Amino acid sequence: MAISNSNNRFSSKLTSQCQNCSLSALCLPIALADEDVNRLDQIIERKRPLKKGEILFHQGEEFDSVFAVRTGTLKTYNITNSGEEQITGFYCPSELVGLSGIDENHYPVSAKALETTTVCEIPFAHLEQLSSQIPSLKHQLFRLMSRKICDDQQMMVLLGKKNADEKVASFLLNLSHRFKKRGYSATAFRLSMSRGEIGNYLGLAVETVSRVMTRFQKNGLIDVDGKEISIINLPEMEKLVGSAGECATIEHV
Amino acid sequence: MAISNSNNRFSSKLTSQCQNCSLSALCLPIALADEDVNRLDQIIERKRPLKKGEILFHQGEEFDSVFAVRTGTLKTYNITNSGEEQITGFYCPSELVGLSGIDENHYPVSAKALETTTVCEIPFAHLEQLSSQIPSLKHQLFRLMSRKICDDQQMMVLLGKKNADEKVASFLLNLSHRFKKRGYSATAFRLSMSRGEIGNYLGLAVETVSRVMTRFQKNGLIDVDGKEISIINLPEMEKLVGSAGECATIEHV
DNA sequence: CGATTGCTTGAGTGTCATCAACTAGAGTGG
DNA sequence: CCACTCTAGTTGATGACACTCAAGCAATCG
């Protein structure tokens, strides 16, 4: 099964390719024929890992690639006129970052690594071109963008209608789902973002996030140890969330 | 300049086509060659007008088309588990509704007419197919979806970080921009949605929307007469909004 | 015409932000 | 090794903003 790497046009020793990437079932290659995965592979660049705090792209920078997270976590954020950071999303392995840059041809947000993170860079012009030749790839792209729209709208509901408890519970369960989909534990995981970043993302003060989590722990819903989270009472958490995750519940393949 | 309608495959007397549609510069046909616009035209169905309150598609229904608003206004919303309506967006002429249905192949929201509204139905399978043959159409589709993502993220910022005044001001200015883009007055327009719908959308109580607007009027920022709105002091309004509309400010062509 | 709906205004309350103090851990440098 | 500093997180006290409840008004509708 050894894949010939001889004509790999990238200098690096990072030999990973879509074919042997454990995330291919979740990422772009989904539903692609082997030969098509190969063609996709050709245009993807594996970059050196980003260290914690390093920036993948800056708000305002010219858009030319989308990025698939392979390991680690990213956050996207923009700096408001008043100078404060507003986090718009967290990105786990297999997830695609940068799609919002297509429209204006500039990234409207910055992307920063929350921990050591590796990404696959996918030059969008190439991807778009390739998508003309591979209908299933085009369809996959449309689906991914559509899902992003769907997810963001769920987030809007969360921000507009939910109280602090519901927000935090939704956030934790959302992470839980995403870890589960990737084959990790749905009930025990490590938060790669700080309380401050969670609060920023959820529209809550740091103190509120802290208080809610402490209370959840007191009530036996979760177990918190710094950044390590265990969900003890999943059903109760789901009850708390209530309406959340309309999109997410119709779990896709 | 009469366009031959003889081979129009749609029974209706609604003869409008992309070529003579005043919105073509904003809608899908943007940047398409004449012949390509023609091909696009072929797959588009003009539907009979929706009356106020009529539903264009239901949450959960199978997805098969996106819709371009030609006249009137739509809202999209979903019904949460607790049974309450949550509005996720308002759609003005030239704007595309239904993109969020691509992913799961079901509409995750319902779309309802806020007033008498006409739409162009664009069967997505056809559109996707056509987009393979017309690269600029594909690109336009990507851009539209990307813009939607961008806009939704601005909305997330609004919901998460802004107070009632800023929310209402952002909302009014957002409408103002959209009217202006279509060639209407940026400072005087009619709200097609109720106070209740505005509040629902912005994550505010009806009473709060009412109070804020009244106060804006007292302070000479706007003039309110029922659903008629005039923006008196645009600069002051923009100051209020502050950071809003990062995406929107880099006005696209 | 009463009934209903949409909007406005007032009074009271609760949730969450703000301010502040404190702890714990990590990194720094003598 | 031990202050020292800095940052992240927690906890408590206080208060503001927006929600809820309630009443009243205007317009529309059957």
Side-chain angles (χ1 to χ4, degrees):
Chain A
M1 260 297 149
I3 290 148
S4 163
N5 251 355
S6 51
N7 64 347
N8 186 332
R9 65 194 183 83
F10 306 110
S11 51
S12 81
K13 56 289 135 202
L14 301 166
T15 56
S16 56
Q17 301 198 333
C18 292
Q19 283 97 335
N20 50 24
C21 175
S22 64
L23 298 169
S24 61
L26 299 169
C27 183
L28 265 178
I30 202 174
L32 289 198
D34 276 5
E35 66 202 74
D36 291 336
V37 177
N38 255 321
R39 293 206 275 171
L40 177 60
D41 232 339
Q42 295 297 312
I43 68 169
I44 295 181
E45 303 181 34
R46 276 82 191 177
K47 314 242 299 184
R48 68 163 180 74
L50 296 164
K51 283 198 286 282
K52 175 174 174 162
E54 267 190 282
I55 302 238
L56 180 58
F57 53 77
H58 282 90
Q59 176 176 353
E61 218 172 279
E62 195 177 1
F63 165 83
D64 37 38
S65 297
V66 295
F67 299 86
V69 178
R70 286 208 297 142
T71 63
T73 323
L74 293 172
K75 70 172 173 184
T76 52
Y77 60 95
N78 58 20
I79 303 297
T80 63
N81 293 359
S82 32
E84 25 172 25
E85 171 176 320
Q86 167 62 46
I87 297 175
T88 56
F90 297 111
Y91 295 82
C92 297
S94 87
E95 296 172 346
L96 233 52
V97 198
L99 293 171
S100 55
I102 299 171
D103 179 37
E104 305 281 5
N105 219 40
H106 290 269
Y107 296 107
V109 292
S110 302
K112 184 185 273 191
L114 295 181
E115 55 192 326
T116 304
T117 298
T118 55
V119 299
C120 300
E121 174 168 3
I122 313 170
F124 187 73
H126 288 166
L127 182 60
E128 197 176 355
Q129 208 179 334
L130 194 57
S131 78
S132 290
Q133 300 156 33
I134 311 176
S136 63
L137 176 63
K138 175 165 47 62
H139 188 68
Q140 176 65 2
L141 258 173
F142 282 137
R143 282 192 56 196
L144 280 171
M145 296 187 75
S146 172
R147 185 182 312 170
K148 178 72 180 154
I149 292 171
C150 216
D151 289 346
D152 284 352
Q153 283 180 355
Q154 283 308 310
M155 188 64 193
M156 284 166 48
V157 176
L158 181 148
L159 289 168
K161 287 275 180 298
K162 301 195 177 181
N163 62 27
D165 285 16
E166 294 167 337
K167 284 181 180 180
V168 174
S170 299
F171 177 73
L172 293 176
L173 285 188
N174 178 283
L175 281 184
S176 163
H177 289 143
R178 285 152 82 179
F179 286 128
K180 185 180 181 185
K181 201 187 303 179
R182 290 158 40 205
Y184 294 118
S185 168
T187 54
F189 47 87
R190 194 179 157 286
L191 299 175
S192 44
M193 64 293 288
S194 72
R195 301 288 193 273
E197 286 166 328
I198 296 174
N200 182 304
Y201 179 60
L202 295 178
L204 295 174
V206 200
E207 297 94 325
T208 305
V209 175
S210 183
R211 277 186 254 267
V212 170
M213 288 186 137
T214 306
R215 187 150 30 80
F216 280 1
Q217 181 161 32
K218 275 196 187 114
N219 298 344
L221 291 178
I222 62 176
D223 190 64
V224 187
D225 176 22
K227 303 210 173 241
E228 299 293 335
I229 300 281
S230 299
I231 299 180
I232 310 285
N233 193 338
L234 201 88
E236 197 58 35
M237 287 285 280
E238 278 162 352
K239 217 190 292 176
L240 239 178
V241 167
S243 64
E246 314 282 82
C247 259
T249 49
I250 322 174
E251 277 303 347
H252 26 72
V253 195
Chain B
M1 258 297 151
I3 289 150
S4 164
N5 252 356
S6 51
N7 64 348
N8 187 333
R9 63 193 184 85
F10 305 110
S11 52
S12 80
K13 56 288 136 205
L14 301 166
T15 56
S16 56
Q17 302 199 333
C18 293
Q19 284 97 334
N20 50 24
C21 175
S22 65
L23 298 169
S24 62
L26 299 168
C27 183
L28 265 176
I30 201 174
L32 289 198
D34 276 4
E35 65 203 73
D36 291 335
V37 176
N38 256 321
R39 292 206 276 171
L40 177 61
D41 232 339
Q42 295 297 311
I43 69 167
I44 295 181
E45 304 182 32
R46 276 83 190 177
K47 315 243 300 183
R48 68 164 179 75
L50 296 163
K51 283 198 285 284
K52 175 173 175 164
E54 267 191 281
I55 302 240
L56 180 58
F57 53 77
H58 283 90
Q59 176 174 354
E61 218 172 277
E62 194 176 3
F63 165 83
D64 38 38
S65 297
V66 295
F67 300 85
V69 178
R70 286 208 297 143
T71 62
T73 323
L74 293 172
K75 70 172 172 184
T76 53
Y77 60 96
N78 59 21
I79 304 297
T80 64
N81 294 358
S82 33
E84 25 171 23
E85 171 175 321
Q86 167 62 45
I87 296 174
T88 55
F90 297 110
Y91 294 83
C92 297
S94 87
E95 296 173 346
L96 234 50
V97 198
L99 293 170
S100 56
I102 299 171
D103 179 37
E104 306 280 6
N105 218 42
H106 291 269
Y107 296 107
V109 292
S110 302
K112 184 184 273 190
L114 295 181
E115 56 192 326
T116 303
T117 298
T118 55
V119 300
C120 299
E121 173 168 3
I122 312 168
F124 188 72
H126 287 167
L127 181 59
E128 197 176 356
Q129 209 179 336
L130 194 58
S131 78
S132 290
Q133 300 157 32
I134 310 176
S136 63
L137 177 62
K138 175 164 47 61
H139 188 68
Q140 176 65 1
L141 259 173
F142 282 136
R143 281 191 58 195
L144 280 171
M145 296 187 75
S146 172
R147 184 182 312 168
K148 178 72 180 153
I149 292 171
C150 216
D151 289 346
D152 284 352
Q153 283 181 355
Q154 284 308 311
M155 189 64 194
M156 286 166 48
V157 176
L158 180 148
L159 289 168
K161 288 275 180 300
K162 301 194 176 178
N163 62 27
D165 284 17
E166 292 166 338
K167 284 181 180 180
V168 174
S170 299
F171 177 73
L172 293 177
L173 285 188
N174 179 283
L175 282 184
S176 162
H177 288 143
R178 285 152 82 180
F179 286 128
K180 185 179 181 185
K181 202 189 299 178
R182 290 157 41 207
Y184 294 119
S185 167
T187 53
F189 47 86
R190 193 179 159 285
L191 299 175
S192 44
M193 65 294 289
S194 71
R195 302 288 194 274
E197 287 167 328
I198 297 174
N200 183 304
Y201 179 61
L202 295 178
L204 294 174
V206 200
E207 297 93 326
T208 306
V209 175
S210 183
R211 276 186 253 268
V212 170
M213 288 185 132
T214 306
R215 187 149 31 78
F216 279 1
Q217 182 162 30
K218 275 197 187 112
N219 298 343
L221 291 177
I222 62 176
D223 189 63
V224 187
D225 175 21
K227 302 209 173 243
E228 300 293 335
I229 300 282
S230 299
I231 300 179
I232 310 285
N233 193 337
L234 202 88
E236 197 59 34
M237 287 285 278
E238 278 162 351
K239 219 191 288 176
L240 240 177
V241 168
S243 64
E246 315 281 81
C247 260
T249 49
I250 320 175
E251 278 303 345
H252 27 72
V253 193

